Amino acid sequence: MGNWTQNLKGLLNLFLQSSCPLCQRPTPKEFCPDCQRQLERCQMPKPDKFFSTERPVFAWGVYGGALKRALKVLKYENQPQVAQPLGYWLAEAWLKSSLAAGTKLTVVPIPLHANKQQERGYNQAELLAESFCQLTGLPLQRHGLERVRDTKPQFGLSAVERKQNLAGAFVLGKDFDRTRPATPILLLDDIYTSGETVQSATDTLRQHRIRVYGIAAIATPQQAISLDRTKPVN
């Protein structure tokens, strides 16, 4: 009887487990242990290393390997639940950094164009920001910005084309349309690459005298910071 009960519990646990979104193996958590270890290897030892006046970028990990796969799954394979642990890890790293001490900020996710969000069903940056704000306690303004141009993907474009692609892409969102935030803005996105998206969003906010503190992102390519030519955003 004891063995039968134990076997039944084992079967129930197997059926109740979800599949790891990266490898499809059964797991009781968001990721299976193997994929979890691979993701942890992508984490930067000092996410605030590049956070300066010239480049206020806070990035949790290096865009590659398991982290690249996780973001692809989140954005293109209808796995919105992946945002929860990633946003949580970003928040943990933020709280451990010197940037969190005594800094009052308002978090604004980089928005998708309405057409793209309707097609995807969600904005991955907003989901990441939700998880990030749950742990950090920072206020979230989901609609601080609105994307009014359905821009092309930045990947594969030249520096000039990237800038032209994002020119006039953002306007002030309904959250700030009537009442401006009392604190600086921390933009949040999934990937930080050339910095053009951040600069375009920052320019829009600055036109309305809203200060941007910096950008927090889950990942950045190793070469992105060294190639970054963005202007200071604060």
Side-chain angles (χ1 to χ4, degrees), residues 11-144:
L11 286 171
L12 286 172
N13 288 336
L14 181 62
F15 282 116
L16 289 173
Q17 288 182 350
S18 58
S19 296
C20 174
L22 304 190
C23 69
Q24 304 308 311
R25 285 178 287 196
T27 175
K29 297 183 178 181
E30 292 90 353
F31 303 108
C32 73
D34 184 53
C35 289
Q36 175 95 8
R37 285 190 294 270
Q38 292 182 48
L39 284 164
E40 289 171 352
R41 292 191 193 106
C42 297
Q43 184 176 4
M44 290 186 181
K46 293 183 178 181
D48 60 348
K49 179 180 179 180
F50 304 107
F51 205 98
S52 64
T53 302
E54 292 75 23
R55 299 184 184 93
V57 180
F58 185 91
W60 180 83
V62 177
Y63 184 63
L67 186 54
K68 182 177 181 179
R69 170 66 178 147
L71 290 173
K72 180 182 178 183
V73 163
L74 169 62
K75 294 168 70 172
Y76 305 118
E77 298 182 21
N78 193 30
Q79 299 283 349
Q81 75 278 8
V82 170
Q84 198 281 329
L86 293 182
Y88 186 90
W89 295 342
L90 181 64
E92 279 189 322
W94 177 268
L95 291 173
K96 290 176 182 177
S97 75
S98 60
L99 300 173
T103 306
K104 294 183 179 180
L105 300 169
T106 298
V107 176
V108 173
I110 295 292
L112 291 177
H113 188 269
N115 293 344
K116 190 169 291 183
Q117 181 154 342
Q118 184 177 10
E119 178 184 347
R120 185 170 296 170
Y122 52 86
N123 175 12
Q124 72 280 355
E126 183 178 336
L127 297 181
L128 291 164
E130 285 178 4
S131 181
F132 179 84
C133 290
Q134 284 173 3
L135 185 59
T136 62
L138 293 174
L140 170 63
Q141 293 287 0
R142 302 171 191 273
H143 306 292

